[in-house]
Amino acid sequence: MKDDDIIPGFKFVRMIYLGAEAELIHGIWASKDVVVKRRISKGYRMKELDLRIIWSRTLKETSLMHDAKKIGVLTPTVYHLNPKMGIIVMSFENFPTLRNTMLEGKEVDLKALGRTIGTLHAAGLVHGDLTPSNILLSPGGPILLDFGLGERTKEEEMFAEDLYLLKRSLDELLDGHAETAFRKILEGYSVGFVAKHEKIKAKIEEISKRGRYIRRGVHHV
Ligand SMILES: Nc1ncnc2c1ncn2[C@@H]1O[C@H](COP(=O)(O)OP(=O)(O)O)[C@@H](O)[C@H]1O
Ligand SMILES: [Mg+2]
């Protein structure tokens, strides 16, 4: 794809990431550092279904980013959107991911991260893919990325699942030593979501037990 096909006047700088679902390109557009996220067609999906999934995830991602911003949760700023092509042009946030920061063993303000997630949930927004690669750490606070699987909901189970996914991915990252990190996240979470944090913590316990049971079951087969 030529630079001008992405958006007229776009200048390619470098490929940031090539995943199974999307490619992320750093470039310059309208004198700004931008990131182009372009969702990629999956060969194995029927073309129509494929276009529909790309279209809906692109729209969902940008609309949830916008809602998050309105309640003070940091996200990149969307400059341009082409849902048919699965393209989002957004601000380039030149900060490390939570994943890389933790792997380097650096200190992270996990309470602030928990508070951010609590604020998001208290406003009825679920992220849907809270992994350490989808969180950037800026001096102004955590920036959340990749809202394409997010939802608007009031269901406690969904908030708990959001946090449980983060717990699981931290466990994977820290070789099963995520207890302290997750406790700090929950401490912050209770400040961000005062009304429901107790109920949601109980739900996480429930999901966690279910998960262990299922995993044990799998081992015995
Ligand atoms: N606006 C941005 N500014 C800087 N880096 C970004 C931005 N958006 C995404 N990235 C980087 O690209 C990676 C992949 O982006 P993401 O939206 O999570 O795509 P995917 O859906 O394929 O996971 C992120 O983990 C992050 O490192
Ligand atoms: Mg991602």
Side-chain angles (χ1 to χ4, degrees), residues 146-165:
D146 209 2
F147 279 85
L149 299 174
E151 298 286 347
R152 292 182 182 83
T153 186
K154 296 284 175 201
E155 266 181 59
E156 285 147 23
E157 178 89 15
M158 291 191 74
F159 299 136
E161 272 169 16
D162 224 16
L163 285 163
Y164 185 61
L165 176 71

Side-chain angles (χ1 to χ4, degrees), residues 16-17 19-22 24 35 37 39 61 76 90-94 97 129 133-134 136 145-146:
I16 297 178
Y17 174 86
E21 297 273 335
L24 281 285
V35 165
K37 176 168 183 171
R39 286 191 153 79
E61 175 155 8
M90 61 186 135
S91 55
F92 174 54
E93 305 295 340
N94 197 8
T97 58
D129 194 15
S133 304
N134 289 336
L136 300 178
L145 308 171
D146 209 2

Side-chain angles (χ1 to χ4, degrees), residues 26-90:
H26 172 201
I28 306 288
W29 179 71
S31 315
K32 283 193 266 292
D33 277 278
V34 299
V35 165
V36 170
K37 176 168 183 171
R38 191 168 76 90
R39 286 191 153 79
I40 303 161
S41 282
K42 298 273 204 181
Y44 60 81
R45 272 196 314 237
M46 267 164 48
K47 197 161 185 272
E48 275 207 3
L49 176 65
D50 209 43
L51 285 175
R52 225 172 331 126
I53 290 175
I54 288 180
W55 182 85
S56 73
R57 289 194 183 157
T58 304
L59 279 182
K60 184 177 265 176
E61 175 155 8
T62 49
S63 81
L64 288 176
M65 278 162 89
H66 188 65
D67 286 359
K69 242 187 185 33
K70 281 197 279 192
I71 51 157
V73 169
L74 303 179
T75 68
T77 299
V78 177
Y79 294 137
H80 177 79
L81 168 67
N82 184 335
K84 227 172 148 183
M85 288 175 78
I87 287 176
I88 301 170
V89 182
M90 61 186 135

